[in-house]
Amino acid sequence: MNKSTELWMGLRSLLRLYDKMLKEVCTAHDLTVLEADVISFLQNNPGKDTAADIVELRLLSKGAVSKAVESLLQKSLLERIPDTKDRRKIHLKLKSEAGPITDCIDAVREEFLNIVLDGFTKEELAASDQFFKRLFNNTNRAMERTEK
C-alpha cells in the first residue's frame, strides 16, 4: 500500500472511530451526529459561531448545517443572536440546556484521544506536533500559490 492510500485510510478510520463513539452521545440525548457535531463545533471554536463558519471549517453542506441548526433551535439547545454591526450575520450560541451534552462530548473526546494516543511517549507526541505543523504549513503555502 502506498503512503497516500495509507494516510487516507488511517484518517478515515480515525473519523469512523470518533463518529462511532459520538453516536453514544447522540443516542443518550436524542441527537443526530450532525447536531452533535454542530454543538461540538460551537463549544470548541469561540469566535467561529455562524452557520457559514461551520460549513466552511467542517466542510459540511449548507443545507445539512441549516437543518441541524433549526433542529437544535427547536430543541432549545441553541439560540440565534443578530450581529450588532452586520444585520445579515447571525451568531449561534449554545444555551445552558446544552451543558450536559457538551460534558458528554468532552468525555468522548478525552476517551478518543486516550485510545488513539495510547503508548506514545511525550517525545513522540512533540515530534508529531512538529510534523503536522510543517505538513499544514506546506499545504497552506501550496494553496496560496495555486490561488494566485
Side-chain angles (χ1 to χ4, degrees), residues 101-115:
I101 299 168
T102 59
D103 291 346
C104 288
I105 291 171
D106 285 345
V108 164
R109 185 179 300 107
E110 186 174 333
E111 182 184 3
F112 171 77
L113 289 173
N114 286 337
I115 290 168

Side-chain angles (χ1 to χ4, degrees), residues 10-91:
L11 289 172
R12 194 171 145 88
S13 292
L14 280 169
L15 292 171
R16 282 200 331 253
L17 173 61
Y18 184 75
D19 280 349
K20 184 178 181 181
M21 294 173 73
L22 193 59
K23 282 182 183 172
E24 294 174 21
V25 175
C26 296
T27 300
H29 294 280
D30 193 29
L31 298 169
T32 66
V33 172
L34 189 54
E35 289 168 349
D37 204 17
V38 167
I39 290 171
S40 179
F41 180 89
L42 291 171
Q43 175 192 16
N44 293 303
N45 295 285
K48 298 290 185 186
D49 61 357
T50 67
D53 291 332
I54 298 168
V55 167
E56 178 186 350
L57 296 171
R58 291 289 291 120
L59 303 175
L60 300 168
S61 79
K62 213 174 183 180
V65 170
S66 179
K67 184 177 177 182
V69 165
E70 284 304 316
S71 179
L72 292 170
L73 287 164
Q74 289 176 4
K75 293 177 181 181
S76 296
L77 298 171
L78 196 62
E79 63 182 316
R80 287 187 175 117
I81 300 173
D83 190 281
T84 55
K85 296 177 183 147
D86 183 350
R87 62 185 181 91
R88 296 169 298 173
K89 202 181 228 186
I90 303 290
H91 298 278

Side-chain angles (χ1 to χ4, degrees), residues 137-148:
N137 285 336
N138 290 346
T139 303
N140 290 333
R141 276 197 310 276
M143 290 297 293
E144 288 169 4
R145 283 194 304 270
T146 61
E147 290 173 357
K148 291 180 181 176

